[in-house]
Amino acid sequence: MSEWTPTTCMRCAVGCGHSQQGYANHYGLDTVRGDATHPVNRGLACQRGIDETADPDGEWLTRPLVREDGTLVPTSWETAIGTVVSRFEDALAESPDGVAVLGSGQQTNEAAYALGKLARGGFGTRYYDANTTLCMASAVTAYYRAFGSDAPPPTYEDIPEAETHVIWGANPAVAHPVMYRWIADSAGDDGELIVVDPVESETVDDADFHVQVEPGTDLAFARAVLARVVDEGLVDREFVAEATTGFEATVESLPAVEEAAETAGVPVETVERVADALTEPTLVYWGMGVNQSVQGTATSRALIDLCLATGNLRPGSGPFSLTGQANSMGTRVCSSKGTWPGQRAFTDPAERRTVADAWGIPRSRLPDDPGPGPVGIVDAVADGPPEACWTVATNPVAGMPDGDRVREALDDVFLVAQDAFRTETVELADVVLPAATWGESEGTVTNMERRVSRVRAATETSPKIKGDLDIVVAIGAAIAPELFPQSAVSPESVFDELRGLTAGTPADLSGISYDRLDAELAVRWPAPSPDAEGGYRYVDGDGWAFPTPSGRARFSTGTHGGLAEPTDDEYPLTLTTGRRADAYNTGVRSRGDGGDAPPTARIHPETTLERIEAFDRGKTVVASRRGSTTVAVNPDDGVPKGTVWLPIHHPAVNALTLPVVDPESDEPNFKQCAVDVRAPSPSNPLVHEGHPAADGSSAADGGPAASDGDPAPTDD
């Protein structure tokens, strides 16, 4: 075995330090364990992070591939890169928007920065985003609207200090096990754990109180709680007067407690219980159950409003969104997707001048706006102007809503898929670029509490595999040599360029160097000097200060506007989605031999009895207006009657979900749509096309067909 190499776990955004050993005589990781010296986790590690790092499932990509006569065949790197460059240049000759780019929260800061630099400053495309918008954009938008800057105010150090922990629309016992241990320990030490979630989960199992709202009504419940806080005189008037603006307008917009509670499907007593709990120092955590909604930004802001109104914006309290992907925060800070590096405002003329000058390009090359988000990008790919699309460490065919339409759109353009594993998106690609993965890559990442740390390689890779940064720079050197004068660069030099560009910004990385990270392992931004590190945001010994025009935090006036897709006689059930304990993202690293099996739906036993004719030997077909898929059924009274729960990671599930987005954040509404359950029959597809049926037949035997009265789904 090789020497122990320190690194950062890439499974989720807790940012745990790992130590890893590669094999001495061949490629791959032999052993991975928690790093006892790392300031984030002090040796703690979840087994899933270890397993998915050391021994991931999935079919590895081992060489470049190009499509010839409809089949992906091996090729050389020279041919693969040359083909990509030629086709991208042809598309860009027609329009700077001729190439669409989809990045990922699985990239390092360095690779994300380089990809954004090429997309925005080299191509000039507005059709660039990352899959982080699919999970975090609503929380991000809410932070900007409320505080003038992105990222949660609290840090992990605040968790033990809180008395009340409210977890809203998230299951950190599964998604963030190490962080959840700190939460559970704090709540168990004379504290309280309240969970707001439509379904029972592993986190609910530990809760002191479970609020089971109707799917899609989180905003109504949050406003009911705030109305109760106001009615009962629980407002921290001194804090509100000193540090906020807009409170009076918020109060005027609040619904009656009884009315909002009824909308959310909970008794008034539940509203009272949660409102009373907020009088103690409280951390409010939320996740995809809040963000992935057409009201995601408004709901995130409502949760922030609860903290503001009760004075829970000081150490030991505050709003704390839970980030999914390992480098979602880094992608937001570094990649030029929604803001320029360091949270420089995208449309501000002075900031655009700074970025263009730093990159040595004319300002006119930069796109005028950050683009329409991933769903809008797919719409543009389907309708023009993009003639080519480049996906990097992301699997949109499985991970985006209305998956059949995504597949159809990507199948009609020149598609480049850059990934470590064979995915549904790779299967459609015209060129496949095999990338290094965890334990094989060098760079940095940023966790959800703003700590930057190193990722390091403990094993070599085959010469037929390249790192994400190396691939981006090779393409950039050919298409935009003024941006990338060399065809190969070191991660450290890219990080130095990035941190220089963030100097003086709200997300200042300029005081963080590789040498400092070698010594300290993890440093929290803003870090404007080599001895500075960010702590709790917006508060210091002199009071509160926010980067808003007034210098104050801003309340909001959002109100529940109904469901994105209400149920009706044809689709009388509600679909919601969530995480399984053994899967993450689109599950590529964790599907195992059962990856082709149908997903398992959790359905209340009374719902199954009421619709017993739709079930056949433990299976049924779940159908929406967009598609249908066969599922195995797990009768579960932890799911409300009339609700179907499906795992968001399974590639078949997003054939059902709704592609409408939050109007402020462009984040899709994954968490609620109308469905029905129907008996498997010739009038229904047995499975999502491309995955074997349980009886061994293939979807190609019949293909997706419309059930009676349904619009025919698009070809998969």
Side-chain angles (χ1 to χ4, degrees), residues 250-403:
T250 298
V251 171
E252 291 176 4
S253 72
L254 292 175
V257 172
E258 295 79 5
E259 175 187 340
E262 182 179 2
T263 298
V266 300
V268 170
E269 292 76 15
T270 294
V271 176
E272 295 170 350
R273 171 74 184 275
V274 176
D276 290 343
L278 296 176
T279 59
E280 301 296 332
T282 301
L283 281 166
V284 179
Y285 316 84
W286 73 95
M288 306 308 102
V290 168
N291 294 334
Q292 292 176 333
S293 164
V294 291
Q295 300 179 137
T297 299
T299 307
S300 297
R301 292 204 67 185
L303 300 185
I304 294 172
D305 289 346
L306 286 174
C307 294
L308 296 177
T310 56
N312 279 299
L313 197 73
R314 48 174 57 90
S317 66
F320 203 152
S321 57
L322 300 175
T323 305
Q325 293 186 84
N327 201 33
S328 180
M329 176 71 72
T331 301
R332 285 141 57 184
V333 169
C334 303
S335 75
S336 302
K337 76 179 193 71
T339 61
W340 301 112
Q343 299 185 1
R344 295 180 183 274
F346 201 92
T347 58
D348 183 279
E351 302 290 18
R352 295 168 65 82
R353 182 182 305 110
T354 296
V355 172
D357 290 349
W359 288 350
I361 60 170
R363 276 171 287 163
S364 59
R365 188 182 298 177
L366 302 177
D368 294 332
D369 64 74
V375 171
I377 288 174
V378 169
D379 291 342
V381 167
D383 302 328
E387 298 177 0
C389 183
W390 182 11
T391 66
V392 181
T394 189
N395 185 15
V397 173
M400 288 186 62
D402 196 4

Side-chain angles (χ1 to χ4, degrees), residues 160-308:
E161 305 303 318
E163 297 292 331
T164 301
H165 300 265
V166 179
I167 297 175
W168 202 306
N171 186 13
V174 160
H176 306 97
V178 171
M179 182 180 182
Y180 180 66
R181 177 169 170 177
W182 306 327
I183 296 171
D185 286 349
S186 178
D189 186 18
D190 298 325
E192 183 174 29
L193 175 60
I194 297 173
V195 179
V196 182
D197 198 312
V199 304
E200 292 184 3
S201 68
E202 292 84 350
T203 303
V204 169
D205 291 343
D206 294 333
D208 296 293
F209 190 58
H210 177 206
V211 182
Q212 199 163 22
V213 296
E214 294 286 342
T217 65
D218 299 273
L219 179 55
F221 181 64
R223 286 313 193 197
V225 174
L226 183 54
R228 173 70 181 182
V229 166
V230 172
D231 291 347
E232 294 301 310
L234 305 179
V235 175
D236 186 333
R237 295 285 178 180
E238 182 178 352
F239 173 81
V240 168
E242 182 178 350
T244 74
T245 184
F247 180 65
E248 294 78 9
T250 298
V251 171
E252 291 176 4
S253 72
L254 292 175
V257 172
E258 295 79 5
E259 175 187 340
E262 182 179 2
T263 298
V266 300
V268 170
E269 292 76 15
T270 294
V271 176
E272 295 170 350
R273 171 74 184 275
V274 176
D276 290 343
L278 296 176
T279 59
E280 301 296 332
T282 301
L283 281 166
V284 179
Y285 316 84
W286 73 95
M288 306 308 102
V290 168
N291 294 334
Q292 292 176 333
S293 164
V294 291
Q295 300 179 137
T297 299
T299 307
S300 297
R301 292 204 67 185
L303 300 185
I304 294 172
D305 289 346
L306 286 174
C307 294
L308 296 177

Side-chain angles (χ1 to χ4, degrees), residues 93-133:
E94 298 295 322
S95 167
D97 294 325
V99 178
V101 182
L102 292 171
S104 168
Q106 288 292 318
Q107 296 173 270
T108 62
N109 290 321
E110 294 79 0
Y113 172 74
L115 183 66
K117 181 180 179 181
L118 178 56
R120 298 303 201 190
F123 302 166
T125 184
R126 67 187 294 265
Y127 296 112
Y128 164 61
D129 213 302
N131 57 19
T132 55
T133 298

Side-chain angles (χ1 to χ4, degrees), residues 402-424:
D402 196 4
D404 288 352
R405 184 171 188 273
V406 175
R407 181 185 295 266
E408 184 180 56
L410 295 182
D411 202 25
D412 283 345
V413 296
F414 177 75
L415 177 63
V416 179
Q418 181 172 320
D419 212 314
F421 297 94
R422 196 149 186 147
T423 68
E424 288 76 15

